[in-house]
Amino acid sequence: MGGSWLGLTWGFGGLRCVDGVPSFAPTLPAAWQGYRFGMRWRGRQVRVAVQAQGVEYSLLEGAPLEIRHHGRTLTLHVDHPVTCALSGKASFPQSFKAVIFDLDGVIADTAVVHHAAWKKLAAEIGLPFDDAVGERLKGVDRRASLEILLENATHSYSEAEKDALATRKNDYYRQQIEHFGPENLLPGAREAVAATRRAGLKTALASASRNAPLLLERLGIAELFDYVADAGNIRHAKPDPEIFLAAAAGLGLAPTDCLGVEDAAAGVASIHAAGMAAVGIGDTRALHQADVVLPAIAAFDITDFATPEKKTQDERGHVPPIV
């Protein structure tokens, strides 16, 4: 029995322990319809079910568990199974019920404003700041970004000093976005969100910025989102899946019913850890873990990714015209 289990888990399931994390690379023999196996890992009970349609990972008992599927990090929670494509990359189209968008770099180019605000703060406190540091801050919340910035500090900062620095950076940022308007939307962004709604899918925003509601109002697209995840209530920054899980919960949907759209590697990792398929917007090299990478949000066509159920306009509500 033990040899059969090892043959199934290690052979076909591709189970390995990598950096202390249970990692899977499942395959399905051509003559098989599917298989499944269970395992205990440090007090958790995990079940893995493999079929041609995909691989379902379920945590049956125990604390949340981080695993890897073809190198992709996932976080399992009891009663929230995660389904992935057998190959490790999602295939499209799928029957999604919602799309969860990031804000900075996807809907509006606020990344340059964040970059300028952090660079100004770094200069004021005598810390180096280059494009490599700026890239690491993409998709990361304010406090986590500050910790990255302070990695090269020559002395330690108290929590009160860190709060003051984070507030100062946010003041610089808010001064700039006060002048934002619909003209600051990235080309094709409004149409991408509106077309998603017209196709019968729900829409949500999963931004690390606590200024997201204000920015949506300034951009004139607040009414296009069914739910905005409150970054103020998110304890763990991307790449943790918390904000995407919160967005799915706010929509009343399972994570696997949602497609995530991100421009940062940390955001793509967050989407995948939530058990969702990920569309990357931007540089293919930086976003190679995404299931699909598009050069810009203008290239996002919901019909390429989703085969939604038909809903009437009354069911979805009025969608403002594209202007």
Side-chain angles (χ1 to χ4, degrees), residues 22-105:
S23 303
F24 302 87
T27 58
L28 182 65
W32 292 15
Q33 292 185 342
Y35 61 90
R36 68 179 183 178
F37 59 86
M39 57 175 280
R40 291 199 68 84
W41 183 271
R42 297 174 182 172
R44 288 92 152 185
Q45 180 69 35
V46 179
R47 184 179 65 206
V48 181
V50 181
Q51 294 181 304
Q53 298 91 332
V55 183
E56 182 180 88
Y57 297 98
S58 302
L59 181 64
L60 304 182
E61 64 178 60
L65 175 65
E66 181 180 291
I67 67 169
R68 291 178 187 155
H69 172 76
H70 286 287
R72 200 173 103 185
T73 300
L74 308 172
T75 303
L76 303 183
H77 300 263
V78 172
D79 296 329
H80 288 88
V82 174
T83 302
C84 303
L86 185 59
S87 66
K89 290 281 188 179
S91 59
F92 303 104
Q94 296 185 33
S95 55
F96 293 114
K97 297 179 181 178
V99 178
I100 302 175
F101 295 90
D102 179 38
L103 176 58
D104 300 337

Side-chain angles (χ1 to χ4, degrees), residues 16-23 68:
R16 301 291 187 273
C17 180
V18 180
D19 299 326
V21 177
S23 303
R68 291 178 187 155

Side-chain angles (χ1 to χ4, degrees), residues 33-310:
Q33 292 185 342
Y35 61 90
R36 68 179 183 178
F37 59 86
M39 57 175 280
R40 291 199 68 84
W41 183 271
R42 297 174 182 172
R44 288 92 152 185
Q45 180 69 35
V46 179
R47 184 179 65 206
V48 181
V50 181
Q51 294 181 304
Q53 298 91 332
V55 183
E56 182 180 88
Y57 297 98
S58 302
L59 181 64
L60 304 182
E61 64 178 60
L65 175 65
E66 181 180 291
I67 67 169
R68 291 178 187 155
H69 172 76
H70 286 287
R72 200 173 103 185
T73 300
L74 308 172
T75 303
L76 303 183
H77 300 263
V78 172
D79 296 329
H80 288 88
V82 174
T83 302
C84 303
L86 185 59
S87 66
K89 290 281 188 179
S91 59
F92 303 104
Q94 296 185 33
S95 55
F96 293 114
K97 297 179 181 178
V99 178
I100 302 175
F101 295 90
D102 179 38
L103 176 58
D104 300 337
V106 174
I107 302 299
D109 193 11
T110 52
V112 295
V113 183
H114 281 295
H115 185 98
W118 282 118
K119 187 173 184 178
K120 181 177 180 179
L121 179 67
E124 291 174 346
I125 60 178
L127 292 178
F129 189 94
D130 56 18
D131 288 344
V133 174
E135 188 65 29
R136 289 180 62 197
L137 304 187
K138 281 187 175 182
V140 180
D141 70 14
R142 192 185 313 154
R143 190 54 180 265
S145 293
L146 179 63
E147 295 294 346
I148 293 173
L149 185 68
L150 296 179
E151 287 176 354
N152 294 315
T154 56
H155 70 279
S156 60
Y157 287 81
S158 67
E159 290 303 308
E161 289 174 322
K162 290 179 181 179
D163 288 341
L165 290 175
T167 298
R168 193 195 309 179
K169 179 269 170 184
N170 191 50
D171 289 342
Y172 296 151
Y173 175 75
R174 287 180 66 93
Q175 289 168 13
Q176 294 301 312
I177 65 171
E178 285 289 344
H179 305 292
F180 268 49
E183 69 277 6
N184 294 107
L185 284 166
L186 286 170
R190 181 184 175 93
E191 171 60 14
V193 182
T196 298
R197 291 174 61 87
R198 290 197 301 269
L201 282 77
K202 292 182 178 181
T203 55
L205 192 77
S207 171
S209 175
R210 300 188 183 195
N211 298 301
L214 169 65
L215 193 52
L216 290 181
E217 292 290 344
R218 291 282 186 269
L219 295 170
I221 57 171
E223 74 280 0
L224 292 182
F225 290 90
D226 296 297
Y227 185 78
V228 177
D230 184 358
N233 289 331
I234 301 301
R235 296 173 55 192
H236 305 291
K238 301 172 185 176
D240 189 274
E242 184 179 4
I243 194 164
F244 281 95
L245 291 173
L251 293 172
L253 296 173
T256 50
D257 288 331
C258 304
L259 173 68
V261 182
E262 263 279 2
D263 76 313
V268 169
S270 177
I271 293 170
H272 280 160
M276 304 176 187
V279 174
I281 303 295
D283 182 19
T284 302
R285 293 167 299 179
L287 303 172
H288 63 277
Q289 292 291 342
D291 298 296
V292 172
V293 179
L294 303 176
I297 191 63
F300 181 83
D301 184 340
I302 189 59
T303 62
D304 291 336
F305 299 100
T307 53
E309 297 178 2
K310 296 295 184 181

